[in-house]
Amino acid sequence: MPGGGRHAEARRRRLHPFGLRTRLVLAFLLVAAVGCGTTAALTYRAARNAILEQTQNTAVTAFRQQVETLSTQLPVNTDGLRSALQTIARQGKPRPWRVYAEYGDLRVSSTDRPESSVLTPELRRRATAIGATHGSFQRVVKDGTPYLTIAVPAVFSNYYRGFPEGSPTGLVLYAVMDLGEEEANIEAMVVAARDGALPALLVALIPALVASRGVLRPVRELRVAAHSMGRGLLDTRIHAKGSDELADLARTFNESAAELERSVTELRSAEARARRFASDVSHELRTPLAGMLAVTEVLDEDAGTLDSDTARAVRLISAETGKLAVLVEDLMEISRFDARAAELHTDEVDAADSVRKTLQNRHWTDPDRIVTELTDGIRAPLDPRRFDIVVANLVGNALRHGSPPVTVRVYAEGGADGWLVTEVADRGPGIPEDVLPHVFDRFYKADAARTRSAGSGLGLAITLENVRLHGGTVVAANRPDGGAVFTVRIPR
C-alpha cells in the first residue's frame, strides 16, 4: 500500500476508536466475564451453603446430644451446672463452644462471663416458647465476626414430680461457636475465583481477536473495494468464499459492481458519442457558415438598394446566420471542456485593464448602460482570452435579461494571497428563486414557453467552465435592492 494509503488507513482507525472490531472484542469479553462471574457466583453460593450447613448441622446435632445426656436436678445446683457446662463446651464439635445456661433469673456459663452478647432476644423467645423441646439455631454477626448460636431446652428424662417424661424443665442451654474459620475458607474461595477470572478473560481475548478478525476481514475488503470504486476503479471485486452471510454480501457486491460497471461503460460510450457528434457537427458547420457569413456581409452592404421586403429578409438572414455562427463556436468550446482538452494559458495581468479592454472591444462604453468600479493595480494569474469570455458573457447576459445600468466591479479580497473578485450586477427584476440553481445549466430556459433567446443558451455554462479552469467559483444571486448579481472569485 502506498504511503498515502497507509496514512489514510491510520487516520480512519484513529477516527473510530470504538469501531466494529473494538465492539466485537468488548462484546466477546463481556460474555466471557458474565459467564465467569455467573459460574463463580453459583459455585460460591453452593460451596458457602455446603460449608456452613455442614458445620451448622454437626454443631446442632452434637449440642442436642450433649443436652439430652445432661442429668437435670431441680432446684438447679449452680456449681454442678457450671461443671457440666464446661464439660459440654470441651466436647464441642467441630470445635469447642462457649456454653450458657438460663433458668429463670439464674445465669450460668462455661466461661467467666455469665451472659453472652451474641444471643439474640429472638433466639431466646423461640427456645422458651410453650411446647419447644427440640431447640433452634441462628447465625449472627457481631462486630464483623460471624457466630452460630444454638438454643436447646433441657427436658425431663423420666416422670418427675408430676411432670411427664420429655416435658421442658425451664432450663435452657445455649452454645455459641465462632464461624471465623469457615468464613476464612469462604473468603479464600472468593479470592481464588476472582484471581482465576482475570486469566480466563485474558485467555478469552485470544479467540475474541481471532473471531473479530475473521468477521472484519470481509468488511475491511468491502470498505477498500467501495473506496476504490468511488475513485473510479469499477473493475474492483471482492474475493468471496464460504457460504455465510458475509460471503453472500461479497457476492452481492460483486454482482452490483459488475452491473454498475456495465451501465457506466454504456453511459460513457453514449456520452462520448454525443460529444463526438456535437464536435463533428460543429466542425462540419464552420466551413459553410464561413461562406454564409461572407455572403450575408455582401447582402448587408447592398440591403439599402433593395426594396423594403427584400432588405428586411436579407437583414433577418444575416442576423440568424450570425447567431448560428455564435452557437457553433460555443458548441465547439463546450466540446473542448467535455473532452478535457481545454487548456489554460495564464499570465500576470492587471484585472482592471482586462475588464476595460473587454468592454471597449464590444463597444459597451455608454455610461448610461455600463458603470464601472475598477480597482487598478490588482494583478492575478489569468488567461486573458478566457477571462475576456467570462466578463463578456456576464455583462452581455445582464444587458439582455436585466435593466441598465449594469455595474461591473473589480476588487481584491483577502490580501495578496486572497481572491480577485469580479461582480456584474444589473437593475432588472432579478432571478426567480426556482431558477437560481439552474442558471449555469446548458440551454436552460426560465420560461419553458420561450423557445428562442438572444444568446446561444451556453454563455453562462461556458463562463462556469472557464472560472473552474482558473480554480475559482462563480455564484448567482439577487441584490437586496433588486436586480441580479454574478460574483466571480479567482485565486490570486
Side-chain angles (χ1 to χ4, degrees):
M1 182 183 293
R6 286 195 298 269
H7 295 328
E9 180 71 16
R11 284 195 298 272
R12 283 193 292 270
R13 290 181 179 177
R14 286 196 297 271
L15 289 175
H16 301 285
F18 293 100
L20 185 58
R21 180 187 182 92
T22 304
R23 292 200 297 271
L24 283 174
V25 173
L26 290 178
F28 201 100
L29 293 179
L30 178 62
V31 172
V34 171
C36 292
T38 303
T39 303
L42 294 177
T43 303
Y44 163 76
R45 181 179 178 182
R48 181 177 186 274
N49 291 337
I51 292 174
L52 292 179
E53 287 180 4
Q54 181 181 3
T55 302
Q56 169 186 295
N57 293 338
T58 301
V60 171
T61 302
F63 186 64
R64 185 178 289 121
Q65 291 174 352
Q66 293 292 329
V67 173
E68 289 176 355
T69 59
L70 178 68
S71 177
T72 305
Q73 299 291 331
L74 296 178
V76 175
N77 182 282
T78 304
D79 294 335
L81 180 59
R82 178 177 292 107
S83 177
L85 295 181
Q86 291 173 348
T87 302
I88 293 175
R90 287 193 297 270
Q91 296 176 355
K93 296 180 180 179
R95 66 181 61 86
W97 307 315
R98 284 178 289 171
V99 184
Y100 302 87
E102 294 182 0
Y103 183 75
D105 294 334
L106 179 63
R107 301 290 186 268
V108 181
S109 72
S110 62
T111 64
D112 295 336
R113 297 180 59 184
E115 290 190 67
S116 173
S117 60
V118 178
L119 301 177
T120 63
E122 180 183 357
L123 183 66
R124 287 188 171 95
R125 282 195 302 270
R126 286 189 290 178
T128 57
I130 297 176
T133 59
H134 296 288
S136 60
F137 62 90
Q138 187 180 38
R139 288 199 297 264
V140 297
V141 177
K142 181 70 174 181
D143 298 330
T145 304
Y147 296 93
L148 174 65
T149 58
I150 310 169
V152 177
V155 297
F156 292 106
S157 59
N158 49 39
Y159 184 85
Y160 180 79
R161 295 183 182 182
F163 293 96
E165 181 182 352
S167 60
T169 64
L171 175 64
V172 180
L173 273 71
Y174 299 92
V176 177
M177 187 178 70
D178 188 345
L179 294 178
E181 184 175 336
E182 286 75 13
E183 192 68 24
N185 292 335
I186 294 173
E187 288 294 329
M189 291 179 56
V190 172
V191 173
R194 182 188 62 198
D195 294 342
L198 184 58
L201 290 179
L202 293 178
V203 172
L205 181 62
I206 297 175
L209 292 173
V210 173
S212 65
R213 180 173 181 175
V215 171
L216 290 179
R217 184 186 299 111
V219 177
R220 191 178 298 111
E221 292 178 355
L222 180 62
R223 182 190 63 193
V224 173
H227 183 66
S228 298
M229 292 190 65
R231 291 187 285 112
L233 303 178
L234 300 182
D235 59 344
T236 303
R237 299 293 183 271
I238 300 176
H239 179 62
K241 60 180 179 180
S243 58
D244 56 8
E245 291 82 356
L246 291 173
D248 292 340
L249 175 62
R251 294 187 186 96
T252 302
F253 176 86
N254 290 338
E255 294 171 1
S256 301
E259 184 64 23
L260 177 62
E261 183 181 15
R262 185 186 62 79
S263 300
V264 170
T265 301
E266 293 179 356
L267 288 173
R268 287 174 176 172
S269 299
E271 184 180 8
R273 288 194 299 270
R275 291 174 179 172
R276 189 165 51 252
F277 175 78
S279 179
D280 293 345
V281 169
S282 300
H283 278 89
E284 292 298 326
L285 287 176
R286 292 188 75 180
T287 301
L289 274 174
M292 292 173 64
L293 287 172
V295 172
T296 54
E297 289 179 2
V298 174
L299 292 176
D300 279 341
E301 293 176 356
D302 296 336
T305 62
L306 303 175
D307 59 84
S308 60
D309 291 338
T310 304
R312 187 164 53 254
V314 166
R315 293 189 178 94
L316 179 60
I317 291 173
S318 177
E320 293 301 320
T321 303
K323 292 179 182 179
L324 183 58
V326 172
L327 176 60
V328 169
E329 291 296 329
D330 287 347
L331 282 173
M332 291 186 65
E333 185 72 8
I334 283 291
S335 298
R336 283 191 287 270
F337 282 116
D338 290 342
R340 294 180 174 83
E343 296 180 353
L344 195 68
H345 302 284
T346 60
D347 192 10
E348 287 286 336
V349 299
D350 189 301
D353 288 343
S354 296
V355 172
R356 290 192 188 95
K357 290 177 182 178
T358 298
L359 299 178
Q360 291 172 0
N361 291 339
R362 289 160 178 81
H363 306 291
W364 292 335
T365 56
D366 186 352
D368 293 331
R369 300 184 65 204
I370 303 293
V371 176
T372 58
E373 299 177 8
L374 311 178
T375 303
D376 292 316
I378 302 177
R379 305 190 66 82
L382 301 174
D383 185 325
R385 185 183 71 84
R386 296 190 181 280
F387 187 66
D388 173 78
I389 293 174
V390 169
V391 175
N393 284 346
L394 293 180
V395 175
N397 182 76
L399 291 173
R400 283 193 300 271
H401 302 293
S403 297
V406 173
T407 302
V408 182
R409 296 180 61 209
V410 172
Y411 59 92
E413 189 177 78
D417 295 329
W419 301 85
L420 166 66
V421 183
T422 305
E423 287 184 2
V424 178
D426 62 61
R427 299 292 179 177
I431 305 173
E433 292 297 327
D434 59 329
V435 176
L436 274 174
H438 306 285
V439 292
F440 295 104
D441 294 352
R442 300 175 185 183
F443 298 110
Y444 180 78
K445 294 181 175 61
D447 185 1
R450 181 169 57 87
T451 59
R452 291 182 58 83
S453 63
S456 66
L458 295 172
L460 292 180
I462 292 174
T463 297
L464 176 63
E465 296 294 343
N466 279 312
V467 173
R468 284 178 176 172
L469 203 60
H470 280 85
T473 61
V474 56
V475 178
N478 289 313
R479 292 156 51 98
D481 55 348
V485 57
F486 287 82
T487 305
V488 176
R489 284 183 171 83
I490 296 177
R492 297 180 61 190

